[in-house]
Structure formats: structure tokens, C-alpha cells
């Protein structure tokens, strides 16, 4: 399947290859992607690899790959995102969309929340949490993760018609996290 798709032409997304903990494995992934990109029969395929510079040391760039750095979001970008988010969650209600955006922007003005909001993924998580929970946003990354995990666990339980099962699921996730550390 992958051979056929790569020959036909596709986009191969490799997210967070810098998070592979063993440097030798990271190097092998980089070499594999470089070789794939150079392979004549895969010329229609585009490869995107994401990495944070220096998180685990070692390879964070692949030779002959173009590098693009994503800067933190500025005030204007955050305001545009929040306005567009409000318009997306209240498409037919302009007043509701504006009120939502204004409330979320007010929450983001708090110093610790503003730091989180500069990261696009964190800003998205903050916007989801604000929309779903309609509560004050947490100021610590760990609190934000906790709220998001709880929300995801509740959604999973709701889909399975297991309302109280989300606590059990979170307990299992905590055990898994402790075993992985």
C-alpha cells in the first residue's frame, strides 16, 4: 500500500521525529527520509518532517530538506485566530461569535495564559477548552493538559455510552504515563 501511494504521489507527514529518544534511531529516521526523497520512483511524493530544535539533542534537521521555522504567534495573529475561531463555532450568530472572541481574548490577556497562547497548538487547546467548558482558562500548561485530557476522555466515554467510564480511562492513562517515564 505505502509503496503504491509513494509512487503515485502523496504527502508523507512525519511529526516530531526529534522526540525519538535514542539518537541512533533518530539518525536512521533522518536517513530513511533523505533516501526516500532522493528515490527516483517517489519524486511525486512530498515529505514533511516536524522537529523542535534541540529538544533531545542530535538530529533535528535532515540534509537537503528545506527548513522552515515557526515563530511564536504575535498579538495580531492571536487576535485573528480568536476572531476566526469565534466565527467558526458560531457561524450564523455574529453577536455570539464576537462575544465569544472578546471573552477568550480577555482570558488570553492574563500573563501566564498569554505565554501559552503564543504556541498555535496551545492556542487551539485554549480555544477548545474555552468553548466547551465556558470557564476561566488555566494558567499552567499542566492544568491545560489535564482539562484537555478530561474533555477527550469524556467525549470518548460519551461515544461509547459509558458516562462514568472516563475516570477509569484517565486512571489507565496515568498508569501508562508513569510506566513510560
Amino acid at each position: 500500500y505505502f509503496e503504491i501511494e509513494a509512487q503515485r504521489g502523496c504527502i508523507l507527514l512525519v511529526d516530531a521525529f526529534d522526540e525519538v529518544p535514542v539518537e541512533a534511531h533518530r539518525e536512521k529516521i533522518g536517513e530513511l527520509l533523505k533516501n526516500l526523497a532522493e528515490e527516483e520512483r517517489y519524486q511525486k511524493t512530498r515529505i514533511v518532517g516536524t522537529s523542535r530544535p534541540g529538544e533531545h539533542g542530535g538530529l533535528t534537521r535532515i540534509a537537503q530538506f528545506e527548513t522552515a521555522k515557526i515563530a511564536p504567534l504575535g498579538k495580531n495573529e492571536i487576535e485573528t485566530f480568536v476572531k476566526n475561531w469565534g466565527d467558526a463555532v458560531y457561524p450564523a450568530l455574529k453577536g455570539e461569535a464576537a462575544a465569544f472572541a472578546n471573552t477568550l481574548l480577555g482570558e488570553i490577556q492574563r500573563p501566564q495564559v498569554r505565554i501559552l497562547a503564543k504556541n498555535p497548538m496551545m492556542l487551539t487547546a485554549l480555544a477548545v477548552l474555552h468553548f466547551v467548558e465556558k470557564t476561566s482558562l488555566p494558567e499552567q500548561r499542566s492544568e491545560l493538559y489535564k482539562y484537555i485530557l478530561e474533555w477527550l476522555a469524556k467525549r470518548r466515554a460519551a461515544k461509547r455510552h459509558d458516562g462514568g467510564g472516563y475516570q477509569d480511562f484517565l486512571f489507565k492513562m496515568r498508569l501508562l504515563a508513569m510506566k513510560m517515564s
Side-chain angles (χ1 to χ4, degrees), residues 2 10 13 49 62 76 88 135 142 164 166 171 176-177:
F2 293 109
C10 63
L13 303 173
I62 300 171
N76 291 339
T135 184
S142 61
Y166 83 93
F171 177 74
L176 178 62

PDB file of all heavy atoms in Angstrom, residues 2 10 13 49 62 76 88 135 142 164 166 171 176-177:
ATOM      1  N   PHE A   2       1.855   1.324   0.912  1.00  0.00           N
ATOM      2  CA  PHE A   2       2.695   2.514   1.014  1.00  0.00           C
ATOM      3  C   PHE A   2       3.551   2.696  -0.237  1.00  0.00           C
ATOM      4  O   PHE A   2       3.746   3.817  -0.698  1.00  0.00           O
ATOM      5  CB  PHE A   2       3.570   2.452   2.266  1.00  0.00           C
ATOM      6  CG  PHE A   2       2.775   2.544   3.534  1.00  0.00           C
ATOM      7  CD1 PHE A   2       2.632   1.444   4.359  1.00  0.00           C
ATOM      8  CD2 PHE A   2       2.133   3.717   3.895  1.00  0.00           C
ATOM      9  CE1 PHE A   2       1.881   1.531   5.524  1.00  0.00           C
ATOM     10  CE2 PHE A   2       1.379   3.817   5.047  1.00  0.00           C
ATOM     11  CZ  PHE A   2       1.257   2.714   5.865  1.00  0.00           C
ATOM     12  N   CYS A  10       2.071  11.382  -2.947  1.00  0.00           N
ATOM     13  CA  CYS A  10       1.280  11.708  -1.764  1.00  0.00           C
ATOM     14  C   CYS A  10       2.093  12.673  -0.896  1.00  0.00           C
ATOM     15  O   CYS A  10       3.191  13.064  -1.265  1.00  0.00           O
ATOM     16  CB  CYS A  10       0.924  10.442  -0.979  1.00  0.00           C
ATOM     17  SG  CYS A  10       2.347   9.556  -0.309  1.00  0.00           S
ATOM     18  N   LEU A  13       3.723  12.787   6.085  1.00  0.00           N
ATOM     19  CA  LEU A  13       3.940  13.644   7.247  1.00  0.00           C
ATOM     20  C   LEU A  13       4.583  12.831   8.365  1.00  0.00           C
ATOM     21  O   LEU A  13       4.025  11.826   8.796  1.00  0.00           O
ATOM     22  CB  LEU A  13       2.610  14.225   7.733  1.00  0.00           C
ATOM     23  CG  LEU A  13       1.820  15.031   6.705  1.00  0.00           C
ATOM     24  CD1 LEU A  13       0.443  15.403   7.260  1.00  0.00           C
ATOM     25  CD2 LEU A  13       2.576  16.273   6.306  1.00  0.00           C
ATOM     26  N   GLY A  49       8.673  16.739   7.609  1.00  0.00           N
ATOM     27  CA  GLY A  49       9.068  16.242   8.924  1.00  0.00           C
ATOM     28  C   GLY A  49       9.079  17.393   9.908  1.00  0.00           C
ATOM     29  O   GLY A  49       9.574  18.470   9.577  1.00  0.00           O
ATOM     30  N   ILE A  62      17.271  17.474   8.512  1.00  0.00           N
ATOM     31  CA  ILE A  62      17.662  16.435   7.558  1.00  0.00           C
ATOM     32  C   ILE A  62      18.347  17.126   6.388  1.00  0.00           C
ATOM     33  O   ILE A  62      17.809  18.078   5.807  1.00  0.00           O
ATOM     34  CB  ILE A  62      16.434  15.636   7.078  1.00  0.00           C
ATOM     35  CG1 ILE A  62      15.752  14.974   8.283  1.00  0.00           C
ATOM     36  CG2 ILE A  62      16.827  14.602   6.038  1.00  0.00           C
ATOM     37  CD1 ILE A  62      14.421  14.345   7.969  1.00  0.00           C
ATOM     38  N   ASN A  76      -1.332  40.186  16.848  1.00  0.00           N
ATOM     39  CA  ASN A  76      -2.250  40.229  15.704  1.00  0.00           C
ATOM     40  C   ASN A  76      -2.671  38.836  15.260  1.00  0.00           C
ATOM     41  O   ASN A  76      -3.847  38.615  14.938  1.00  0.00           O
ATOM     42  CB  ASN A  76      -1.625  40.986  14.529  1.00  0.00           C
ATOM     43  CG  ASN A  76      -1.479  42.461  14.808  1.00  0.00           C
ATOM     44  OD1 ASN A  76      -2.166  43.012  15.677  1.00  0.00           O
ATOM     45  ND2 ASN A  76      -0.588  43.109  14.096  1.00  0.00           N
ATOM     46  N   ALA A  88     -16.151  30.521  13.438  1.00  0.00           N
ATOM     47  CA  ALA A  88     -16.317  29.107  13.074  1.00  0.00           C
ATOM     48  C   ALA A  88     -17.278  28.385  14.013  1.00  0.00           C
ATOM     49  O   ALA A  88     -18.057  27.547  13.574  1.00  0.00           O
ATOM     50  CB  ALA A  88     -14.961  28.403  13.063  1.00  0.00           C
ATOM     51  N   THR A 135     -15.364  28.258  31.021  1.00  0.00           N
ATOM     52  CA  THR A 135     -14.807  28.554  32.329  1.00  0.00           C
ATOM     53  C   THR A 135     -13.500  29.321  32.153  1.00  0.00           C
ATOM     54  O   THR A 135     -12.994  29.440  31.042  1.00  0.00           O
ATOM     55  CB  THR A 135     -14.569  27.238  33.107  1.00  0.00           C
ATOM     56  OG1 THR A 135     -14.106  27.554  34.407  1.00  0.00           O
ATOM     57  CG2 THR A 135     -13.557  26.346  32.421  1.00  0.00           C
ATOM     58  N   SER A 142       0.395  22.306  32.565  1.00  0.00           N
ATOM     59  CA  SER A 142      -0.048  21.018  33.116  1.00  0.00           C
ATOM     60  C   SER A 142      -1.550  21.025  33.395  1.00  0.00           C
ATOM     61  O   SER A 142      -2.237  20.029  33.165  1.00  0.00           O
ATOM     62  CB  SER A 142       0.730  20.677  34.387  1.00  0.00           C
ATOM     63  OG  SER A 142       0.520  21.665  35.377  1.00  0.00           O
ATOM     64  N   GLY A 164     -19.684   7.220  33.129  1.00  0.00           N
ATOM     65  CA  GLY A 164     -18.767   7.247  34.260  1.00  0.00           C
ATOM     66  C   GLY A 164     -17.416   6.644  33.946  1.00  0.00           C
ATOM     67  O   GLY A 164     -16.497   6.711  34.747  1.00  0.00           O
ATOM     68  N   TYR A 166     -15.081   7.513  32.012  1.00  0.00           N
ATOM     69  CA  TYR A 166     -13.943   8.354  31.664  1.00  0.00           C
ATOM     70  C   TYR A 166     -12.903   8.388  32.788  1.00  0.00           C
ATOM     71  O   TYR A 166     -11.707   8.503  32.527  1.00  0.00           O
ATOM     72  CB  TYR A 166     -14.396   9.755  31.254  1.00  0.00           C
ATOM     73  CG  TYR A 166     -14.654  10.723  32.383  1.00  0.00           C
ATOM     74  CD1 TYR A 166     -13.642  11.565  32.824  1.00  0.00           C
ATOM     75  CD2 TYR A 166     -15.903  10.793  32.998  1.00  0.00           C
ATOM     76  CE1 TYR A 166     -13.876  12.455  33.855  1.00  0.00           C
ATOM     77  CE2 TYR A 166     -16.132  11.690  34.019  1.00  0.00           C
ATOM     78  CZ  TYR A 166     -15.123  12.512  34.446  1.00  0.00           C
ATOM     79  OH  TYR A 166     -15.345  13.394  35.462  1.00  0.00           O
ATOM     80  N   PHE A 171      -7.401   7.025  34.635  1.00  0.00           N
ATOM     81  CA  PHE A 171      -6.535   6.274  35.540  1.00  0.00           C
ATOM     82  C   PHE A 171      -5.561   5.408  34.741  1.00  0.00           C
ATOM     83  O   PHE A 171      -4.356   5.378  35.029  1.00  0.00           O
ATOM     84  CB  PHE A 171      -7.381   5.409  36.485  1.00  0.00           C
ATOM     85  CG  PHE A 171      -6.564   4.537  37.399  1.00  0.00           C
ATOM     86  CD1 PHE A 171      -5.890   5.099  38.476  1.00  0.00           C
ATOM     87  CD2 PHE A 171      -6.452   3.188  37.157  1.00  0.00           C
ATOM     88  CE1 PHE A 171      -5.107   4.305  39.313  1.00  0.00           C
ATOM     89  CE2 PHE A 171      -5.676   2.380  37.986  1.00  0.00           C
ATOM     90  CZ  PHE A 171      -5.007   2.946  39.067  1.00  0.00           C
ATOM     91  N   LEU A 176      -0.113   4.414  32.365  1.00  0.00           N
ATOM     92  CA  LEU A 176       0.709   4.308  31.160  1.00  0.00           C
ATOM     93  C   LEU A 176       1.800   5.386  31.162  1.00  0.00           C
ATOM     94  O   LEU A 176       2.953   5.102  30.881  1.00  0.00           O
ATOM     95  CB  LEU A 176      -0.173   4.440  29.926  1.00  0.00           C
ATOM     96  CG  LEU A 176       0.546   4.405  28.570  1.00  0.00           C
ATOM     97  CD1 LEU A 176       1.239   3.068  28.380  1.00  0.00           C
ATOM     98  CD2 LEU A 176      -0.456   4.661  27.451  1.00  0.00           C
ATOM     99  N   ALA A 177       1.430   6.603  31.520  1.00  0.00           N
ATOM    100  CA  ALA A 177       2.417   7.701  31.555  1.00  0.00           C
ATOM    101  C   ALA A 177       3.525   7.420  32.561  1.00  0.00           C
ATOM    102  O   ALA A 177       4.697   7.676  32.294  1.00  0.00           O
ATOM    103  CB  ALA A 177       1.711   9.021  31.874  1.00  0.00           C
TER     104      ALA A 177
END
